[in-house]
Amino acid sequence: MTEYRPLQQLPDTAGYRAGDVLVLVGELFGRGYANGLVDEARRIGMTVIGTTVGRRDTSGALRPLTAEEITEAEALLGGPVINIPLEAGFDMESVNGIPSIAEQLKKARPDDFATTSFIEGSIENARAAGTARLRAHLAQLEEELLSRIPAEANILIAHAMAGGIPRARVFMPLLNRIFKGIGDKYLASELFWESPLGRLCNSSFNEVTAETFLYLIEGTAAIRERNTASGARVNYSAYGYHGTGVLINGEYRWQSYTPYVQGFAKMRLEKIASEATSRGISATVYNCPEIQTNSSALFLGVEISLYPLLSAIRREAGDQIAAPLEARCQSMLKEGETVSTLLECADRYLSSPVLDQIEDFSTWPQHNTREQAELMLAASGALMEMHSDQKQLICAELSRIVFLATGRLILHSSWNPPASTLWLNHDVIGQLLADARGAEIV
Ligand SMILES: NC(=O)c1ccc[n+]([C@@H]2O[C@H](COP(=O)([O-])OP(=O)(O)OC[C@H]3O[C@@H](n4cnc5c(N)ncnc54)[C@H](O)[C@@H]3O)[C@@H](O)[C@H]2O)c1
């Protein structure tokens, strides 16, 4: 069990300088956490090298990006992307002519989730084949890195990978019921999690979200040893999630989105960082706040705990920074709605006794209950309703602040991390905005 260790003070400025390299492992979209790291690396003059997960062609085979796709990816990153497909997971692996998991699930019906079965041994065999494929691709990646990065350069190897929902139609209706269902549509996450399809998800999430960090650390041993031998630092970071400390009823308190079933894999990620750290490798998981990205769109309600960031910014960074942001947020609300009523509404949900009974750090992650799901989804809907345009949301603005701020915090903290797992809560994000390194974020 990982100790709750929030980063309480801003890290010292890291020693990375021009010529040092950020290697981003995972693909960059426009509005994800990794954008913050890339932004800070570039701001301090580091070289940024990107990677790709590749694409599946019409036959289902994994392929590198086409010339057109790579040009697009490099334009988005603003730097070179190494074109070796690093997709993780095993849903599409067919071993010895046995149909892949995705293929086996083609005719599965959502209503049968508790009794769906797989060809014996096929999950284990597919998993082993998926791992072997990724490890082979990471070995090619390392060759490229060895030739592109000078031996004296400091390197931050940043893991951003998360995911693993198997690509079969049967999952979407089920996951929608777990994350967004009320009334007849409600589905208890525990019931699903203990079913054959839930166990498959558990295995797949672990493989994509957690084990990839271990394969990456092991698969870059040669460059790590070469560069550290020349006196440079090679550090690893990964994005975790394990609840966040936010302002509730005027006090910073740990809370979590429920039901975060991916949390089991995120705890495995923490363990991988802790084991690597005890072997003398600088590897840190940074547990980050709930924000809206491509990957979090499924988790309706995850954004509720983002609203009180406004109060944390006021408290930590002061009126000069908070006032213009609050004014921008106010302008996104319908007439008659105010930022204060919005914050009261979020606080009512976050301080509700229903959550108090469920959320517990020591037994995290918790499964949903009907009462909690209905309360959360109603609060999420009410908060959205306060906006005048559903395409211009306060949470989008706050998400941008969070991914930019965490990028800066992670990059600097990775130089000399105080623990193998750290929480980046709303307080330290607020503090950063008042620091020279966070100056132009808001
Ligand atoms: N969004 C949140 O609220 C939140 C909160 C805390 C931590 N995080 C973590 O931040 C990290 C970045 O996520 P994000 O929310 O910015 O979303 P994102 O969609 O921008 O990033 C997801 C990343 O996972 C990679 N990925 C997806 N499927 C993969 C697969 N099969 N194999 C290999 N890589 C795969 C993508 O290429 C991408 O780099 C993730 O680890 C996520 O869990 C997110």
Side-chain angles (χ1 to χ4, degrees):
M1 180 59 197
T2 310
E3 186 198 343
Y4 180 49
R5 193 66 208 263
L7 189 75
Q8 271 163 333
Q9 281 170 350
L10 297 181
D12 291 339
T13 296
Y16 301 113
R17 42 180 200 271
D20 289 343
V21 183
L22 168 71
V23 180
L24 177 64
V25 182
E27 226 163 272
L28 192 75
F29 301 119
R31 51 166 197 159
Y33 262 115
N35 289 86
L37 260 183
V38 169
D39 191 78
E40 180 62 356
R42 186 151 305 121
R43 199 179 67 93
I44 65 169
M46 289 173 82
T47 302
V48 180
I49 297 181
T51 58
T52 175
V53 295
R55 298 290 178 269
R56 292 279 169 178
D57 67 19
T58 41
S59 73
L62 185 61
R63 62 158 176 84
L65 300 184
T66 60
E68 199 179 311
E69 288 163 345
I70 199 90
T71 310
E72 219 173 279
E74 293 188 333
L76 188 63
L77 181 76
V81 170
I82 297 177
N83 198 4
I84 297 166
L86 297 183
E87 182 187 294
F90 54 85
D91 56 347
M92 308 277 278
E93 293 299 318
S94 158
V95 182
N96 298 331
I98 306 277
S100 69
I101 303 300
E103 192 64 38
Q104 290 182 49
L105 285 174
K106 269 208 169 128
K107 294 211 175 93
R109 293 172 352 122
D111 288 349
D112 301 335
F113 73 90
T115 52
T116 306
S117 62
F118 300 93
I119 298 167
E120 210 188 317
S122 61
I123 296 183
E124 295 72 16
N125 291 340
R127 185 170 179 164
T131 305
R133 185 199 68 237
L134 178 61
R135 282 192 185 269
H137 289 177
L138 285 170
Q140 292 174 25
L141 176 77
E142 188 179 51
E143 284 304 310
E144 279 289 328
L145 295 177
L146 279 163
S147 72
R148 290 180 190 218
I149 302 177
E152 317 69 53
N154 299 301
I155 313 175
L156 172 58
I157 302 182
H159 176 277
M161 293 178 163
I165 299 173
R167 280 161 284 193
R169 239 187 252 159
V170 65
F171 286 104
M172 262 314 134
L174 290 167
L175 296 174
N176 274 324
R177 288 184 60 196
I178 290 169
F179 298 121
K180 301 180 184 169
I182 54 170
D184 290 352
K185 291 260 159 36
Y186 167 79
L187 177 61
S189 57
E190 190 166 16
L191 206 64
F192 170 76
W193 200 242
E194 281 167 8
S195 75
L197 288 188
R199 284 197 295 275
L200 171 71
C201 281
N202 190 19
S203 174
S204 186
F205 295 166
N206 266 313
E207 185 67 15
V208 175
T209 299
E211 300 302 334
T212 45
F213 196 38
L214 178 66
Y215 308 149
L216 177 66
I217 291 170
E218 290 180 355
T220 47
I223 190 162
R224 181 172 66 246
E225 280 155 23
R226 186 196 71 177
N227 283 42
T228 47
S230 75
R233 295 197 192 192
V234 178
N235 303 313
Y236 296 82
S237 69
Y239 288 100
Y241 177 72
H242 197 148
T244 310
V246 309
L247 271 178
I248 301 176
N249 203 6
E251 259 176 78
Y252 286 108
R253 248 176 55 195
W254 176 89
Q255 57 72 51
S256 167
Y257 167 77
T258 298
Y260 191 68
V261 284
Q262 283 79 350
F264 299 98
K266 287 296 192 192
M267 287 197 291
R268 170 73 188 132
L269 182 71
E270 293 171 356
K271 191 141 194 285
I272 290 166
S274 151
E275 285 169 0
T277 300
S278 63
R279 295 197 301 276
I281 299 166
S282 165
T284 313
V285 169
Y286 291 93
N287 286 331
C288 289
E290 304 78 1
I291 62 168
Q292 283 178 331
T293 67
N294 285 359
S295 295
S296 63
L298 181 64
F299 311 118
L300 195 59
V302 74
E303 77 292 346
I304 303 176
S305 59
L306 188 52
Y307 295 102
L309 178 66
L310 282 168
S311 312
I313 292 175
R314 172 158 286 282
R315 184 176 291 191
E316 307 296 333
D319 182 64
Q320 221 186 336
I321 290 171
L325 172 66
E326 287 166 9
R328 260 200 324 277
C329 293
Q330 179 63 54
S331 72
M332 294 184 213
L333 296 176
K334 278 184 184 154
E335 235 179 272
E337 301 292 359
T338 65
V339 168
S340 332
T341 51
L342 177 100
L343 291 173
E344 279 161 26
C345 177
D347 199 68
R348 247 192 322 279
Y349 168 72
L350 293 166
S351 60
S352 111
V354 173
L355 290 201
D356 250 8
Q357 284 160 19
I358 296 179
E359 290 181 357
D360 175 20
F361 182 81
S362 64
T363 55
W364 185 87
Q366 277 76 46
H367 283 292
N368 61 1
T369 66
R370 186 183 289 270
E371 197 184 12
Q372 171 266 332
E374 296 192 342
L375 197 69
M376 176 176 76
L377 295 164
S380 170
L383 287 157
M384 296 275 189
E385 258 309 294
M386 292 184 186
H387 292 78
S388 52
D389 176 356
Q390 296 299 310
K391 290 201 184 73
Q392 295 233 7
L393 297 174
I394 288 176
C395 280
E397 175 77 11
L398 298 179
S399 297
R400 191 189 60 85
I401 293 173
V402 171
F403 71 62
L404 289 175
T406 51
R408 284 154 164 72
L409 292 168
I410 293 172
L411 190 126
H412 292 287
S413 159
S414 73
W415 188 255
N416 195 10
S420 64
T421 295
L422 291 164
W423 273 254
L424 305 181
N425 290 336
H426 283 187
D427 52 354
V428 78
I429 291 173
Q431 282 175 38
L432 181 85
L433 301 181
D435 184 80
R437 286 167 292 180
E440 79 295 9
I441 291 179
V442 173

